[in-house]
Amino acid sequence: MIDGLQRLGQLTLGWLNRLGRATLFLLRLLGAVATLGRRPGLVIKQLYSVGVLSLPIIAMSGLFVGMVLGLQGYANLVDFGATSSLGTVVALSLVRELGPVLAALLYAARAGSAVTAEIGLMKATEQLAAMQMMAVDPFARVFAPRFVAGFIAMPLLAGIFTAIGILGGYFVAVKQLGVDSGAFWSQMQAAVGLVDDVINGVVIKSVAFGWVANWIAVFEGYDAIPTSEGISLATTRTVVNTALVVLALDFVLTAIFFGV
Amino acid sequence: MGNFKKLELAVGAFVALGLAAFFMLAMKVSNIAELGEDKGYKVTARFENIGGLKVRAPVTLGGVRIGRVAGIDLDMRSYEAVVTLSIEPQYNQLPTDSNASILTSGVLGEQYVGLEPGGMDEYLMNGGSLKLTQSALVLEKLIGRMLTNAVSDDKPPAKTP
Amino acid sequence: MSATAFASPSDPPAESLLVTVRGLSFHRGDRIIFQSVDLDIPRGKVTAIMGPSGAGKTTLLRLIGGQIRPDAGRIEVDGACVHELGRKELYQLRKRMSMLFQSGALFTDLTVFENVAFPLREHTRLPEHLIRTLVLMKLEAVGLRGARDLMPSELSGGMARRAALARAIALDPMMILYDEPFSGQDPITMGVLIKLIRTLNDALGLTSIIVSHDVKETASIADYIYLISEGLVVDHGPPNALEGSNSAWVEQFLHALPDGPMCFHYPAPAYAEDLALREEPSCD
């Protein structure tokens, strides 16, 4: 019993310690972001790597999720004769929740883990130390570009996911299941508010998730133990921690914006 | 550095795609067309019970949407609900004796205000009010009324000596 | 065992010292890495720091480079106390030092050319054609001018180290720190590296500090050697002076003898007991 408590205490302290390190890291990172104005090339290169290369998985997943929403929504609404509301169902689900959250999770799995592994490997092969010895700040050269690029990419990817999802839902609902096209769009337009849903949903959520996901990805790489096991552990940590934090943050944001 | 040019192109396309997605969300998905209005004129209507009517619910006449519910207040002296309707400026020929009812659209029950035109020659202006109103139907009261009617129908006819 | 650096006449003269280390103490966890170490690194010469694995040689380089701080003592490079410098001054100092890491530590996403150009692009505003000229000159010095468009993953170990060396001399530093440059290399590559280190040192007027446990190779080009073990300087001097040392440990190390003051056997209980061999009670 006492042992258990002691263990718990140790874990909590360890966790707090880590959080503190991560915060100090973030502060230093933000300081380095200011220097990026002179080197846009670095950010662009990373934007390609985390943004463009994530497009396939985001687009395909968005399409499938939208199509499933169309199917499921139809199956549930047809009993009430309310299939004309299908557009609303698909759009609100995606815009308020599924778009930003799923895009963030997929991003963490594809881009976040890649960034962590890359940075961890640079640490293990002494490239970061070499940079320091050459009087080049790795925060400015390696970490900040990845963070900024990811921060820009995340909302764009969430928007693309949501838009493609709605189109997927449209395809299934109207082309396959025979829902009236006019009803699909007009009911949706009546129900989805620009500020209330799109901005509070996709935009704000994806910005918040982008901040979190990229912070975690870069920090875990920086903090990784420089062995192959350490890197593997760090990569796993990135995906798991990002998922947990994104979901928790989603709850908070949903309660704030969409709570009754 | 030719590689970099291709990269820049890809990144530019990506950002453009993202912005296009948001554009689509704003234009086709949301009700952006209805923002920035409220050039409409305000008319009030009093109801005993507004049911589930919410702000921004549509106001229709003959099924055509002519405005929105702009505000809902409670008059503590007469205990009536005061609903402020914002009618779009082009629909400025509503007779002052028009009737406002709170109706339900479809099974899933979003409530709206339906107007029926009256016959007067005077038209509603900004700040005017609708005198004839019909409150929302409350389901429990309906059932209660139905039951009392059913009971009274079942009463055996009065016996005549 | 002497721990000071001032005693013998074979010591380098004081004015021409680039790096001085006095009373250095450092520990990691509960392991003491350095107890109280004094070193003098003379300018323009190749100084070797040798010792068994785990003696803290790499740590010493990091201490000199300011990547870690000592617990006690003083490290001065070109008159500046390294661990008391602010971040800006430290970066300024580091522009004049270079370090060659054990694995080369080339940036894996850049070509050899770009790797060597990296310090030039970061720290100077030279126009592109000048950078190209300088990079090609550095690559020529290490014999890799033809390999300039290869990626680090396409290089052999020896070539990677040579490329890293070209990068290290890109800004014409005053000092290069070599972390185990010869470990794991084939004889030819080793020969190449040995020749390069010595030639560059003399041609460019560098000061070189080599940390290694490859005795023969290092001793062949070193002007001065420090032997470190168990957190102390065991002996120091020019290579021929150490040959004649009367320390048994130095002799074991320099001649690669398997047994001597450094025991062959890791401490263990008595062999017979371990094998559970003992007198059986006789069955009477």
Side-chain angles (χ1 to χ4, degrees):
Chain A
M1 171 71 176
I2 302 288
D3 271 350
L5 280 180
Q6 195 184 31
R7 208 57 199 103
L8 191 63
Q10 260 180 343
L11 279 176
T12 314
L13 281 179
W15 183 83
L16 283 175
N17 187 302
R18 202 132 203 282
L19 186 62
R21 271 214 307 283
T23 312
L24 290 173
F25 173 83
L26 181 67
L27 292 174
R28 208 167 150 195
L29 185 65
L30 293 177
V33 165
T35 67
L36 282 178
R38 281 177 275 128
R39 321 264 321 247
L42 291 173
V43 178
I44 291 182
K45 195 155 169 241
Q46 292 310 316
L47 252 182
Y48 179 79
S49 165
V50 299
V52 177
L53 293 181
S54 299
L55 261 183
I57 188 176
I58 291 284
M60 296 235 56
S61 307
L63 184 65
F64 283 126
V65 168
M67 295 190 340
V68 165
L69 275 175
L71 274 175
Q72 283 279 24
Y74 185 87
N76 283 299
L77 289 173
V78 75
D79 292 339
F80 296 95
T83 54
S84 52
S85 304
L86 192 51
T88 309
V89 167
V90 170
L92 281 180
S93 309
L94 280 167
V95 165
R96 287 184 178 186
E97 289 301 326
L98 295 179
V101 173
L102 286 180
L105 294 178
L106 289 168
Y107 176 87
R110 198 251 138 226
S113 60
V115 165
T116 302
E118 201 184 5
I119 295 181
L121 200 57
M122 286 180 86
K123 189 177 179 190
T125 52
E126 295 181 299
Q127 288 178 50
L128 294 181
M131 233 184 258
Q132 277 182 319
M133 282 306 292
M134 278 190 262
V136 173
D137 185 9
F139 277 84
R141 193 80 182 28
V142 175
F143 305 144
R146 284 166 174 77
F147 179 78
V148 170
F151 184 67
I152 295 176
M154 180 80 253
L156 294 173
L157 289 170
I160 293 174
F161 184 96
T162 307
I164 293 188
I166 292 178
L167 290 175
Y170 169 79
F171 175 74
V172 161
V174 175
K175 302 290 183 211
Q176 306 284 71
L177 296 171
V179 173
D180 176 48
S181 163
F184 186 88
W185 291 111
S186 64
Q187 292 239 0
M188 179 199 300
Q189 283 168 354
V192 177
L194 181 65
V195 177
D196 291 336
D197 293 304
V198 175
I199 294 193
N200 286 348
V202 176
V203 175
I204 292 189
K205 280 190 181 182
S206 61
V207 167
F209 295 160
W211 177 274
V212 160
N214 287 292
W215 175 13
I216 292 180
V218 180
F219 174 69
E220 290 291 350
Y222 167 79
D223 203 45
I225 299 169
T227 61
S228 49
E229 271 165 14
I231 296 175
S232 146
L233 181 65
T235 319
T236 317
R237 262 215 179 108
T238 290
V239 180
V240 169
N241 287 350
T242 306
L244 291 174
V245 175
V246 159
L247 290 170
L249 194 54
D250 180 50
F251 172 72
V252 171
L253 290 174
T254 304
I256 293 178
F257 289 122
F258 301 114
V260 176
Chain B
M1 274 303 199
N3 242 345
F4 192 66
K5 281 281 179 235
K6 272 189 261 175
L7 206 106
E8 275 184 317
L9 194 65
V11 170
F14 167 65
V15 174
L17 189 62
L19 292 175
F22 276 112
F23 195 69
M24 176 217 160
L25 287 179
M27 292 290 132
K28 270 223 103 178
V29 172
S30 75
N31 59 358
I32 193 176
E34 295 161 16
L35 288 180
E37 58 174 63
D38 230 18
K39 303 170 244 149
Y41 63 96
K42 306 274 191 302
V43 169
T44 55
R46 289 164 170 269
F47 296 90
E48 210 181 271
N49 194 318
I50 59 163
L53 188 70
K54 297 199 198 6
V55 178
R56 298 196 35 190
V59 177
T60 66
L61 189 144
V64 176
R65 197 178 76 77
I66 59 169
R68 286 212 173 272
V69 173
I72 299 177
D73 290 298
L74 183 65
D75 183 342
M76 278 305 280
R77 276 171 296 146
S78 60
Y79 300 112
E80 278 174 321
V82 182
V83 178
T84 310
L85 310 173
S86 172
I87 314 258
E88 279 171 34
Q90 61 264 42
Y91 305 112
N92 53 3
Q93 294 182 320
L94 286 173
T96 47
D97 62 341
S98 301
N99 174 315
S101 314
I102 298 187
L103 304 167
T104 309
S105 84
V107 183
L108 293 182
E110 195 195 50
Q111 299 204 295
Y112 65 97
V113 176
L115 297 181
E116 269 164 52
M120 301 271 285
D121 286 331
E122 278 169 29
Y123 298 135
L124 287 168
M125 310 265 279
N126 190 29
S129 62
L130 288 161
K131 298 287 185 283
L132 299 167
T133 63
Q134 181 170 334
S135 298
L137 294 170
V138 180
L139 198 58
E140 290 80 2
K141 291 205 178 139
L142 261 183
I143 295 179
R145 212 184 306 157
M146 241 173 55
L147 286 176
T148 37
N149 281 347
V151 168
S152 61
D153 282 343
D154 280 349
K155 258 203 316 225
K159 292 193 176 63
T160 45
Chain C
M1 293 182 180
S2 150
T4 62
F6 310 108
S8 62
S10 59
D11 277 343
E15 323 77 60
S16 65
L17 294 177
L18 183 57
V19 179
T20 57
V21 176
R22 293 283 176 271
L24 171 67
S25 299
F26 185 73
H27 77 284
R28 181 168 281 148
D30 30 327
R31 242 192 92 204
I32 298 181
I33 312 239
F34 295 116
Q35 289 187 35
S36 176
V37 166
D38 297 329
L39 295 172
D40 289 325
I41 313 287
R43 278 180 207 273
K45 304 261 184 258
V46 176
T47 307
I49 301 177
M50 302 206 274
S53 304
K57 306 190 296 293
T58 308
T59 313
L60 184 59
L61 287 183
R62 285 181 197 241
L63 284 163
I64 295 178
Q67 284 184 318
I68 44 186
R69 297 179 154 215
D71 297 332
R74 209 173 153 73
I75 303 178
E76 281 188 12
V77 174
D78 203 20
C81 182
V82 169
H83 45 98
E84 282 170 12
L85 292 176
R87 196 182 286 179
K88 271 213 167 90
E89 290 100 5
L90 185 58
Y91 269 14
Q92 290 302 321
L93 181 62
R94 280 186 181 159
K95 285 188 206 173
R96 302 190 290 145
M97 303 197 290
S98 276
M99 186 150 156
L100 189 63
F101 290 83
Q102 202 163 342
S103 55
L106 292 172
F107 301 130
T108 46
D109 50 335
L110 302 176
T111 60
V112 167
F113 183 95
E114 288 300 322
N115 262 287
V116 180
F118 183 84
L120 294 168
R121 292 197 208 281
E122 291 289 324
H123 293 306
T124 69
R125 293 197 207 283
L126 293 174
E128 198 54 35
H129 64 271
L130 262 184
I131 291 186
R132 185 172 182 278
T133 310
L134 279 170
V135 169
L136 290 181
M137 278 167 56
K138 309 297 179 187
L139 283 175
E140 176 77 7
V142 303
L144 286 180
R145 188 166 51 90
R148 61 179 171 264
D149 291 323
L150 294 179
M151 299 297 288
S153 52
E154 297 170 312
L155 300 174
S156 69
M159 287 168 71
R161 276 182 211 189
R162 284 196 276 161
L165 185 51
R167 184 177 69 179
I169 57 174
L171 288 177
D172 291 319
M174 61 181 179
M175 171 167 81
I176 302 189
L177 308 166
Y178 294 89
D179 189 1
E180 306 270 4
F182 310 121
S183 64
Q185 297 302 301
D186 64 85
I188 299 180
T189 313
M190 238 193 265
V192 168
L193 286 170
I194 294 171
K195 173 173 171 300
L196 270 178
I197 295 179
R198 185 76 234 186
T199 319
L200 284 176
N201 189 80
D202 297 334
L204 300 177
L206 297 172
T207 304
S208 305
I209 305 180
I210 307 180
V211 149
S212 175
H213 50 226
D214 289 304
V215 177
K216 199 157 82 60
E217 289 74 20
T218 318
S220 68
I221 53 167
D223 295 314
Y224 205 81
I225 301 181
Y226 281 89
L227 288 173
I228 295 191
S229 171
E230 317 238 316
L232 294 169
V233 174
V234 175
D235 208 345
H236 57 98
N240 43 10
L242 284 180
E243 277 289 323
S245 166
N246 29 14
S247 159
W249 187 92
V250 171
E251 203 197 311
Q252 183 190 11
F253 188 75
L254 288 182
H255 295 121
L257 303 173
D259 209 3
M262 298 276 301
C263 276
F264 175 71
H265 286 290
Y266 194 80
Y271 198 29
E273 262 182 51
D274 227 2
L275 289 179
L277 289 175
R278 50 184 168 79
E279 296 254 6
E280 286 293 327
S282 48
C283 311
D284 282 345

